Amino acid sequence: MTNHHQSTRGEPRVALVTCDRLADLDPDDRLVLAPLAARGVTAEVAVWDDPRVDWAGYDLVVLRSPWDYALRRDEFVAWAQTVPALVNPADVVRWNTDKRYLGELSAAGVPVVPTSWVAPGESWRPPADSGEYVIKPAVSAGSQDTGRYDLADPEHRELAAAHVRRLSDAGRLTMVQPYLDAVDSDGETALLFLAGPQGLAFSHAIRKGAMLDGPDLGVEGLYKPEEISARTAGGEQLAVAERVLAEVPGGPERLLYARVDLIPGPDGAPVLVELELTEPSLFLGYADGAAERLADAVLTHLARRRP
């Protein structure tokens, strides 16, 4: 799968980082392989926790699908700190893999889905109102360990409390957020940004349909099939995304990519659900030229690292 020896052709070598269960990359990520090759870049797939990989032998190490890190975050962050030429950078990985960054962004004035936090060992009772809520761990990938609860339903109230206890017993910080009805009608808008000569630039947007269909039962949870389609980003969404990215530690100009996930809030204005800077799906197959733009972003970062 992966050749860990220095290229004899003098081409820059780039590692695309994944996990064991996606040893050939996610299909969407594979779309960038041909554009990279066309630009004279040797791209190799590497599993982040494979001890045989010589990370220092690469000109750039690009995080793509290391989606098994959530239960091993400390190990993953420590690994990231040892990797030269990592993008996005290790300090961004540390900050972005714990969703407490949402609190920091909210304090900075960014519109964020209201979030409360339950520390391990802390007692918690479901809110008295009868709305719907989402419960999930502060460190997670995808929709793992995430559930949706209608607190008007007594059974859901019990399941919500059990979900928090389960996360607490595992030593995990819990997030509790109101479920925004616009997820069901409008869906999420994911805005994708890629590095360019003038810094991080908007590339494309997609719509994600609602996935959460009920409580997390401690095994797989209940999720709808993921529905993805192309979407045109509005001016208000782009403005919020720019506000979000301006608050990234160290500045957005260091990033290779960013994904800003927005949902209309109760008043219809976009609010941030998640900022993906570590291993986001980039949905390259949903926009003409997106894979080529990612390949160009890689070239931009390679050029910055030339002596």
Side-chain angles (χ1 to χ4, degrees):
M1 174 186 68
T2 305
N3 174 12
H4 300 304
H5 299 287
Q6 182 66 41
S7 170
T8 58
R9 295 174 293 172
E11 294 181 346
R13 295 176 67 236
V14 172
L16 302 178
V17 181
T18 185
C19 58
D20 263 337
R21 67 182 179 86
L22 289 168
D24 291 322
L25 293 178
D26 180 75
D28 191 68
D29 284 331
R30 286 201 292 270
L31 296 176
V32 78
L33 295 176
L36 285 173
R39 287 157 174 76
V41 176
T42 298
E44 301 172 0
V45 182
V47 174
W48 73 271
D49 57 353
D50 183 348
R52 299 169 298 174
V53 179
D54 175 17
W55 299 106
Y58 291 104
D59 299 292
L60 199 67
V61 177
V62 179
L63 290 166
R64 287 311 316 123
S65 49
W67 293 338
D68 60 354
Y69 79 85
L71 296 180
R72 304 162 59 192
R73 176 184 174 262
D74 289 348
E75 179 184 349
F76 181 70
V77 169
W79 164 81
Q81 292 173 326
T82 70
V83 180
L86 183 71
V87 285
N88 286 328
D91 63 306
V92 171
V93 170
R94 175 182 289 278
W95 180 76
N96 187 239
T97 51
D98 185 327
K99 293 183 180 63
R100 282 180 288 187
Y101 70 77
L102 290 171
E104 296 181 30
L105 293 176
S106 178
V110 173
V112 174
V113 175
T115 305
S116 59
W117 310 88
V118 185
E122 184 178 350
S123 62
W124 179 82
R125 297 180 65 183
D129 65 53
S130 58
E132 287 192 278
Y133 283 81
V134 173
I135 293 174
K136 57 186 175 182
V139 177
S140 65
S143 295
Q144 294 174 348
D145 304 307
T146 301
R148 172 181 173 181
Y149 301 89
D150 181 355
L151 298 186
D153 183 333
E155 181 181 4
H156 274 224
R157 294 183 72 86
E158 292 181 8
L159 289 171
H163 188 171
V164 174
R165 285 196 302 271
R166 188 164 60 249
L167 294 174
S168 178
D169 289 345
R172 304 176 77 183
L173 178 68
T174 300
M175 305 169 59
V176 181
Q177 299 174 319
Y179 186 83
L180 300 181
D181 293 337
V183 176
D184 295 322
S185 55
D186 295 348
E188 289 186 30
T189 300
L191 291 86
L192 287 304
F193 293 78
L194 299 171
Q198 306 304 317
L200 205 61
F202 175 70
S203 169
H204 59 287
I206 59 96
R207 177 191 184 275
K208 295 192 292 181
M211 289 184 63
L212 291 177
D213 204 21
D216 178 81
L217 302 176
V219 184
E220 294 293 338
L222 298 175
Y223 311 118
K224 297 178 182 178
E226 192 170 45
E227 297 179 359
I228 307 294
S229 57
R231 169 168 273 180
T232 300
E236 192 174 14
Q237 292 171 324
L238 288 166
V240 170
E242 295 288 353
R243 288 179 62 188
V244 171
L245 293 171
E247 298 297 332
V248 173
E253 63 277 358
R254 298 192 301 149
L255 305 178
L256 176 70
Y257 52 66
R259 196 182 90 199
V260 182
D261 293 348
L262 304 175
I263 296 176
D267 63 355
V271 297
L272 179 69
V273 180
E274 194 160 353
L275 171 60
E276 295 264 17
L277 304 179
T278 304
E279 32 64 41
S281 294
L282 297 176
F283 305 110
L284 301 176
Y286 291 87
D288 290 343
E292 288 74 18
R293 288 191 290 276
L294 178 57
D296 287 337
V298 168
L299 288 183
T300 294
H301 273 260
L302 285 168
R304 291 178 186 173
R305 294 177 180 276
R306 287 175 188 154

